[in-house]
Amino acid sequence: MKHIFILFFLISPFVVVSQTLDSIQNLDEVVLRADRLLKTFSKTQTTQVLSDSIIKRNTSSLTQLLNFNSPVYFKENGLGMVSSPSFRGTTAQQTAVIWNGININSQFNGQTDFSTINTRNFDEITIRHGGGSVLYGSGAIGGSIHLSDKVDFNMPFENNLFAGFGSFNTQDLSYGTRYADDKFSVGFTVTYTHSDNDYDYLDSDRKNLNGQFYNVGLSTTLGYKIDQKNILRYYNHVFDGERHFSLILPTEIRTKYRDFNTRQLLEWEGRYGKFLSVLRAAYLTESYKYFGNIENDNFTFAEAETFIGNYQLSYKWADNAKAMAVADINYTNGEGSSIVEASRTISAFSVLLNQRIKSFYYEATVRKEVTNTYESPLLFSLGVKQQFGDFYTVNVNGSKNFRIPTYNDLYWANAGNPNLSPETSHQIELGNQFNFKNGLFSLTGFYYDIENMIRWVPNTSGVWRPINTDNVVSYGLESRLQYSRQFKGHQLQLNANYAYTISENQFDNKQLIYVPYHKGSGSFNYAYNKLSVYWQTAYVGEVFIQSDNDPNRVVAPFWVHNLGLEYKPLDQCTLGFRIQNLFNKNYQSVANRYMPGINYNIYLTFNF
Amino acid sequence: MKHLFKFSIYSFALALLVTSCSDDDDFTPSEPLGDYENGYFILHEGGGLITPVTYVDEDGTVEQNVFENVNPTADPIGAFKQDLFFDDTRAFIVSGGGQTVTVLNRYTFEFIATVTTDLINPRYGAVYNNKAYVTNSGDFGTSTDDFVTIIDLTDYSTTTIVIGKIAERIEAANGKLYIANGSFGSGNSVTVLDPSNLGSMTTIDLGMGNSPNSLEADDGFLYVLSGNSTSNGKVFKINLSDDAIDSSIDLPATLTSPRHLDIDGNTIYFTNSTSVYSFATGSTAVSDVPVMTYVSTSQFGSMYGFSARNNVLYIADAGDFASAGTAYEYDTSGNLLNTITTDVAPNSFHFN
């Protein structure tokens, strides 16, 4: 019933507004994002935008997209299964996923399963490296992944269709439409992904059993210009998915997992002279059901709803200078099979400041949260950037960030620990960027000192409970190369990322398990006339799977390649063919979790 | 599964094959039963497809990967090896992750069969009269569906019987099966199953809060160790002739998490934290002075397994459950006799 209500709420305004289509006015395009801080207070850190064209050339899984296009490492329990990121050697709970400026990491386990994000639902995906807890709250330590929708005005009526089909009976479909005049804007996207995911294991007579999955996503954006100064925007995203969890051995119990998440955001933006006022209200729901044995209907579940009120007031106090104050209130109510209903309210206050003085730029931010659930530290960041001509830019950013205890940590029946403190991270990074004629090269060094890491350990009675225990130091280098060239109708693009990461538990100075020293990715694109060919690659170095770093207990490094070909018979239409795991490499991301060998995809995009 | 770590482990590790060089067996009174007849196995509870046991021979030599060495073409055994039990000729390994009971020759470790039917989150097993009785948690969310799988050891066919209470440790004694209805401090009884009359299941109530975690039969009595979160731990002495509680002994109040009852000769041993305690089978009081205490660097995996046999105390230390574990042999004065490196999460000792 609740689902139907939400769907109705989602679709009805679209239906009404879409009937008011009228003539297209060709005025200046105004593109605005709900995630303003990504543009205004992230200039002393690295951000990397993955455009629509990159997103299209990858499968709809956020894991796959980032694996081939970023230095983020993924621990993936087989294709399409639970997938946890490690960004700069941190844990999955220390990577925040931000939807239109709002942190959507789960209230229950504190992380986002990257297999439950369908990339085709969003206009733009941005990787923000480094700490961001002042801006984005809990979990923005290693970095954050930003899913953004556009609300444009004065846009022609536009439809786009994507249809992909691949090995293992995989369907990957999306349809989006948008229209905007000078007063109204509306956009709607629906996605559907399904796969039997029953690939054969290489060098074995076995296949991936019980790995099938599907998901449906809907997103809606609405915009209304009340007058020249005031704009209302509404964003909605609904995700409904079911995954079976694949087996290591055929005798294991078959299980499955259902996710149903909704996100809604309404914002009112007012521009009054030097002031910019943004009032936002958001309502998020998340729920899962875990079927511990698909032979029967028994399941365990948890569900939470979150209300967020947020007010940002910024003031342009000089040319190229901005001050901002943010007040935020976040109320969550959740319960589950093992969690007695509990609610918590977190209020936060932030002050942010930035200024550009010729070639020098600085930004300083501070945030304090107030809650009765735990002791919240003062969070801050300070960043500076200096440009030396067009060629070289250097930036330094230091910050204190945190990851708050989750519902599971606090409230799990007979195990939750109400006395937990947040995990905190002090971190600093130094970035260098070299711009040359057709590209750029950047090199960033980072150092993290993360304390009070929450970990579940058995107590003297054998009951596993969470405590604040570990101290981890993580440091390393990230580098990135971008190059593009055009000559006589030929187009060339090259992108490469490489990260070297040491992440050590200070208890015994051992590298954390499932954190590779080396992670690289790259892509190359060549286009001429109506044809283009592209190559994608990812390299993941050896990872330890035992905390004693036993060199015999590792997942071997792997280097996989994809090759794609695209043909554009018409300007509006692209036909693509992609070969994944080109060299049919037998590899695993997690021990005993085999990934598919060579497999194929065809896809069609059509804009009209 | 939620109580267990989720780290998966490589299935085939470096073989630390140590060849035994015993050329002093001047007299062999009987046909040898197999390479592993004179030692003991340490079971590994770790996740993934790690090797099931470490073998320690009577002369102290250690062999890892026994299962893989003897059975190079056999499929690996699933994760979370919970229990190993024997009949006269066979060893049975219960895998909670693989949902299997693997049958091996107990002396040669040669693979015989895998039982895959009627098992849902299996836990512990015991043999009586050519049948194996394996407890199962069923759905982890409820204990009312807990059941026992009965495996006919002639053809490995299976049937089940619902226990309806937490079904964990199981002991065969006096022609019956005794099942501890205790797990993580819940449940406070022992179920008695009569194999000749499965319908006539009876229950021995241990009293409020007394959750049984280990049990062993000896000389006409069943001894059951219980922990209690608000009161003293106890050892119950149950008369096997009528299944009534003969007596019970309160353990010292300072021992807040007693575990691992094991009887060696006339001495009852149990552990609390990193210490071992004991008392004689006939005594009516228990001293809070430990027999010995060992030093563990583990924050939370200390004393994960324990056995006492022929005046040797065997202690398994699981470390952080994500790295190699350690087993120790001590004499009853606390002198260290031997240290053995095991695979992840050693949880019990099984003697040939």
Side-chain angles (χ1 to χ4, degrees), chain A residues 30-34 123 149-153 155 178 180 184-186 220-224 231-235:
Chain A
V30 181
V31 181
L32 288 160
R33 306 279 191 280
D123 293 319
D149 294 312
K150 291 191 272 195
V151 176
D152 307 342
F153 291 93
M155 293 289 288
R178 69 172 83 233
F184 289 102
S185 170
V186 57
T220 308
T221 57
L222 298 172
Y224 173 59
I231 302 175
L232 284 177
R233 293 191 192 84
Y234 170 77
Y235 303 83

Side-chain angles (χ1 to χ4, degrees), chain B residues 25 55 80 137 142 149 188 203 218 221 249 264 325 331:
Chain B
D25 42 336
Y55 174 72
F80 313 132
S137 289
T142 171
T149 310
N188 59 335
T203 301
D218 183 66
F221 292 95
I249 303 177
D264 184 29
D331 68 19

